[in-house]
Amino acid sequence: EKSVFVEDSNRCEVTFKSTKPPRTPPKKDESRFGGKMHKVLLVSYADGERFEKTQRLLDESLDIAEIEEHWAWNTSTFEEPEHAAWMRRNSHANFPRGGAWKPYVIWQAFRRVEWDDWLVYHDSSQYIQEGLKA
């Protein structure tokens, strides 16, 4: 392979040649980049059909991004006893576009992850309704 770098009108051509054999597919407990495989978790929140559509598309595309679990939150999640009291106490700080509910959802997800897990929060957009891509 050949790469060309141009800096301040000086041209530098560098050739990279790999002496390693092609990488074999990763083992089940190893990432494709080597080393321990991290568990990747997704958390999202949707309130209303136009947001829930995106949340469903995210859920349907988890394998593409090698995400193991999706914690999909919605308004009914806040009706569950463990979250309802918090929502009532903080209703003054919650509004449709953000508010205290977003850090609360992320905080609850952090409480569930284990050491070395990766946590991804993804908005369920009403404007870009698509799942995850490779």
Side-chain angles (χ1 to χ4, degrees):
E1 294 180 23
K2 191 178 275 188
S3 296
V4 178
F5 301 92
V6 179
E7 183 178 322
D8 298 328
S9 73
N10 293 324
R11 184 178 171 96
C12 177
E13 195 168 301
V14 180
T15 303
F16 298 96
K17 194 171 195 177
S18 176
T19 57
K20 295 181 181 179
R23 181 161 161 68
T24 57
K27 297 175 187 167
K28 184 71 176 165
D29 61 344
E30 180 182 300
S31 78
R32 61 180 148 189
F33 303 110
K36 181 182 177 286
M37 180 74 137
H38 295 278
K39 185 176 179 183
V40 182
L41 310 153
L42 174 68
V43 62
S44 65
Y45 177 81
D47 181 15
E49 178 53 36
R50 59 187 177 195
F51 299 98
E52 290 168 6
K53 177 183 178 186
T54 305
Q55 193 176 54
R56 281 191 303 275
L57 291 169
L58 289 170
D59 195 63
E60 292 167 3
S61 61
L62 296 179
D63 288 343
I64 292 169
E66 298 180 22
I67 294 175
E68 293 185 36
E69 285 183 57
H70 180 195
W71 299 328
W73 285 64
N74 56 39
T75 42
S76 65
T77 311
F78 283 107
E79 294 169 2
E80 296 171 7
E82 63 187 294
H83 307 296
W86 178 89
M87 189 60 140
R88 280 191 304 277
R89 280 192 317 272
N90 295 285
S91 61
H92 65 283
N94 287 301
F95 35 92
R97 292 190 58 96
W101 62 264
K102 189 176 285 189
Y104 179 80
V105 166
I106 296 168
W107 175 59
Q108 290 298 315
F110 273 124
R111 293 179 65 196
R112 291 180 60 181
V113 297
E114 295 178 15
W115 190 255
D116 279 342
D117 287 350
W118 291 5
L119 178 65
V120 176
Y121 175 84
H122 195 297
D123 276 326
S124 300
S125 175
Q126 66 176 324
Y127 303 110
I128 301 172
Q129 294 183 320
E130 58 189 22
L132 301 163
K133 295 183 179 180

